[in-house]
Amino acid sequence: MTVAGVLACTALTGCGGGGPAPGALAPLPKGSAPPSSSAPASGSASAPASAPGPDSASASAPGPDSATASASPKKPPTMAPGPAGRTPVFERRATGGGAAGRSAEKVVALTFDADMTADQGPRAASGERFDNPDLVALLRRSKVPATVFMTGRWAEEYPAQAKAIGADPLFEVANHSYSHHAFSSPCYGLPVVEKSAMTADVERAFTAFRKAGVRNVVPYFRFPGGCYDDAALRALAPANVTAVQWDVVSGDAFATDADAVARQVLDGVRPGSLVVMHCTRSAAPATEAAVRRIVPELRARGYRFVKVSELMEDGGGR
């Protein structure tokens, strides 16, 4: 099934770090191919927001970022394909260009990778937690819009949570592959997806979202480990997604010092920044505590939290 088809079905049917470590939750390298500098283009498909989720009363109440959370559903922006049809790459809102005044707007997108590799089922069955419901609840209480880059395997393991996240208009769900295997090598010891199987892996994740009843799905993709090269951008072109990287690495992977994670984010954020974090308790145990400090501090500095779709809209990119 194509990405457009999966997104359409979703509309009908209803969570980088300090040092490299297996699992690609460490600081993540940029690919060897330069990101496309194309201006955003209209997305090929989108899923409308659904009925409120379990915590929707909190999520939908007026708050500092409620305009973002409650905006009426519309087609998410994407970037135009790169040279020779390569998958375009978005890292942050450009500091120059874009709509008048938008490039200097004090907005920031917090993104959370819901990581789970295809072979971690036995670890989950034995009690290891790859989810972080307390973090999601904190974002809801704080009324912080966010983009969750979810693996298909995570959606299969935690279908009720995946559905609830997708049903909440505060959030949008993007693709982090099905397997969380690498799309280029080396990549923190991750198994590697064959070039011929890359599009199928991405589409399998979209299918897993559909089966779990996930809505608010956007046609964005984050490479596992952040690892990609020119061959991967070419191979993934049929998936019709915009690859989303970041300009601020939180350092939350395997971190136990929440203050250090918060300082790294607060020191790195600039207008238009895109922050990579994680919502897996076993691999990023300090994230919730770090977010408790990050959110009020950035708001005190005048920042507004947005989802990736808003950051990309009318703002150019790099």
Side-chain angles (χ1 to χ4, degrees):
M1 178 176 289
T2 65
V3 172
V6 170
L7 292 172
C9 288
T10 301
L12 293 173
T13 61
C15 179
L25 289 172
L28 308 171
K30 297 176 183 176
S32 58
S36 168
S37 58
S38 305
S42 175
S44 59
S46 65
S50 69
D55 293 296
S56 60
S58 170
S60 61
D65 307 291
S66 60
T68 298
S70 60
S72 59
K74 59 182 178 181
K75 185 178 295 186
T78 58
M79 296 183 73
R86 292 177 180 83
T87 298
V89 182
F90 180 82
E91 292 181 1
R92 54 161 293 136
R93 178 176 287 178
T95 54
R102 298 276 289 182
S103 61
E105 188 179 5
K106 295 184 79 171
V107 294
V108 58
L110 299 185
T111 69
F112 297 90
D113 290 357
D115 291 344
M116 187 170 181
T117 60
D119 59 354
Q120 287 177 332
R123 289 166 58 181
S126 68
E128 185 170 350
R129 302 300 306 198
F130 297 93
D131 61 343
N132 195 337
D134 290 342
L135 172 60
V136 175
L138 172 62
L139 295 171
R140 285 183 169 128
R141 290 195 305 272
S142 304
K143 301 176 180 63
V144 176
T147 303
V148 178
F149 285 85
M150 190 180 293
T151 66
R153 185 62 188 86
W154 195 97
E156 290 177 345
E157 188 68 28
Y158 305 108
Q161 291 187 54
K163 182 177 181 178
I165 290 169
D168 193 330
L170 196 65
F171 306 127
E172 63 188 10
V173 175
N175 195 312
H176 196 32
S177 80
Y178 174 82
S179 62
H180 202 259
H181 290 175
F183 282 58
S184 68
S185 182
C187 186
Y188 305 102
L190 288 174
V192 180
V193 179
E194 294 294 331
K195 295 294 185 290
S196 60
M198 288 181 179
T199 294
D201 187 89
V202 171
E203 291 181 345
R204 187 178 180 188
F206 280 125
T207 299
F209 301 163
R210 176 179 56 81
K211 289 180 177 179
V214 180
R215 301 183 68 174
N216 289 337
V217 177
V218 289
Y220 306 150
F221 173 74
R222 175 165 286 165
F223 288 99
C227 306
Y228 69 92
D229 54 20
D230 186 71
L233 295 179
R234 290 175 180 270
L236 201 57
N240 294 316
V241 292
T242 293
V244 176
Q245 297 286 91
W246 54 84
D247 68 306
V248 179
V249 176
S250 68
D252 66 340
F254 305 103
T256 57
D257 187 341
D259 286 337
V261 173
R263 284 195 303 271
Q264 186 156 318
V265 172
L266 294 171
D267 289 347
V269 167
R270 301 291 184 270
S273 279
L274 199 158
V275 183
V276 59
M277 305 186 82
H278 297 84
C279 58
T280 53
R281 277 182 282 179
S282 65
T287 304
E288 181 198 349
V291 170
R292 290 180 185 274
R293 176 180 170 189
I294 291 166
V295 168
E297 176 62 29
L298 286 178
R299 281 179 170 156
R301 297 180 187 181
Y303 278 89
R304 180 170 63 89
F305 294 99
V306 299
K307 292 175 273 193
V308 169
S309 56
E310 182 173 345
L311 193 70
M312 196 180 298
E313 184 177 23
D314 299 329
R318 71 167 179 82

